[in-house]
Structures are given as C-alpha cells and as structure tokens.
Amino acid sequence: MSLDITFLGTGSAYPSPSRGTAALVLRREGQCWLFDCGEGTQTQLMRSPLRAARITKIFITHLHGDHVFGLPGLLCTLSLQSGPDASRAPVDIFGPLGLRSFLRTSLELSHSELLFPYAVHELVPTRDQCPAEEFRDFSGLDLGGPPGRILHLDPGDGSYLLLEDEQLVLRAFRLFHRVPSFGFVLEEKPRPGRLNVQKLKDLG
C-alpha cells in the first residue's frame, strides 16, 4: 500500500500570503483524503501537484473556522469541475456533530447546489473534550440534508471506527481543546511477508 502526505497548510487562525491554515492530503492508491480544510485550502491545492477532483474523503478535526471555513467553497469548486453523475460514489465527510448543519446552512444560504453526491458522518463528542463552559450540545439540530451516519464512541476501546478495508483501519480519538476535537489514526493491517522457501533451503 502506497501512502503519501502533502501539507497544504500548517498555520492557525487565518491564512497568510505564504502559509495556509490547517489542511493536509493523504494520497492512497489514486485517491486523495483531505484532513481539515481551512480558508485558503483551494489556493494551496492549486499550487500543489495534487488534483482536487481526486478527493474522495474529507476529515474535519473540529469546528473552529481555521479548520473548516474552506470546506463549503472547496465543495462548490469540486461541483463546478464535475458534471452530474448518478453512478459516482459520494464524497464522505467526517467530523464533529454540527458539521452537517454547518454545510447545509452554508450551501443553502449561498444558493449552492452540488452536482455530486456527498455524505456527512458526524462524531458525537463527550462532554469532557473541552472546558464545560465551551461545550455546546448540537444533538438537537435538524438532521435534514445529505445522508450520513451518526457515530458514537465505542467505550470498549475509546475510539470511533470510521473506515475499515482489507488494508487499513481508520479511527477517530477524542482530543481536549476549546471545542470538541478529534484526532485520526490510520493503522495499516499486518501483511504476510513473501518468503522464497526454496532459496532459504538452498542457503541452508
């Protein structure tokens, strides 16, 4: 399995002419997975050798603006670059509870209609992920809009299982920040080695 990471932004709070806010891309076998999408991510993508059209999954660590304000614009650009295709797999977007409402409201108020399917999978935080006075319960928000799952913490291993295939497992873990935040851990599954038994015998 080939994995390649490109940092698109490592700044915080707001972008500068030479440094974007939080965003990185993991390339995996022709697909691009975007982690965070701060303001200016599109510009950084254009400066990189990456193709935005290859983004198939997006992961948002938390809902501070410097990690999410670039997302509605990026989705609109992806829509402009693609035609309607009913057979296309949805772009999967993972992030904290409230992300679906943020996207739905942003797109509705700007009269933006995406020409490709997408799904928003929300992670339900626990109250100990941020100072008590900063915690907001978004569980009562209207869940209309794109399809997607509501993901709860597995108390057994303290994580959220996001993806699993024959090669890897991707989980989210709780982080402590001013708002509920998540870290993502991609773990490659063990692979059987290729052993030339005859050569070993020949070598004794």
Side-chain angles (χ1 to χ4, degrees), residues 121-184:
H121 311 289
E122 294 183 300
L123 286 67
V124 178
T126 58
R127 290 184 176 269
D128 57 354
Q129 285 183 249
C130 67
E133 65 274 11
E134 295 285 352
F135 186 85
R136 304 286 184 272
D137 183 2
F138 294 135
S139 59
L141 290 177
D142 174 24
L143 293 180
R149 297 177 290 152
I150 300 294
L151 302 167
H152 293 272
L153 178 72
D154 179 344
D157 65 9
S159 73
Y160 301 74
L161 178 62
L162 306 185
L163 300 167
E164 182 172 12
D165 62 25
E166 67 283 352
Q167 293 182 318
L168 59 80
V169 178
L170 182 65
R171 299 178 188 277
F173 289 86
R174 294 171 298 163
L175 301 176
F176 186 85
H177 189 36
R178 217 159 41 82
V179 297
S181 302
F182 298 90
F184 301 102

Side-chain angles (χ1 to χ4, degrees), residues 16-61:
S16 73
S18 60
R19 191 176 188 189
T21 49
L24 72 84
V25 170
L26 173 80
R27 277 192 294 185
R28 180 197 178 207
E29 299 175 349
Q31 296 183 31
C32 290
W33 294 2
L34 176 66
F35 290 81
D36 280 336
C37 189
E39 184 184 352
T41 297
Q42 289 191 71
T43 304
Q44 296 299 91
L45 271 168
M46 291 175 204
R47 291 176 176 160
S48 78
L50 303 171
R51 291 183 53 210
R54 291 191 180 273
I55 294 173
T56 58
K57 299 191 185 329
I58 299 171
F59 304 88
I60 301 298
T61 57

Side-chain angles (χ1 to χ4, degrees), residues 84-107:
D85 181 1
S87 65
R88 177 176 170 173
V91 172
D92 287 304
I93 305 171
F94 296 84
L97 196 65
L99 180 59
R100 179 195 315 272
S101 180
F102 167 74
L103 280 176
R104 186 186 70 245
T105 302
S106 299
L107 295 172

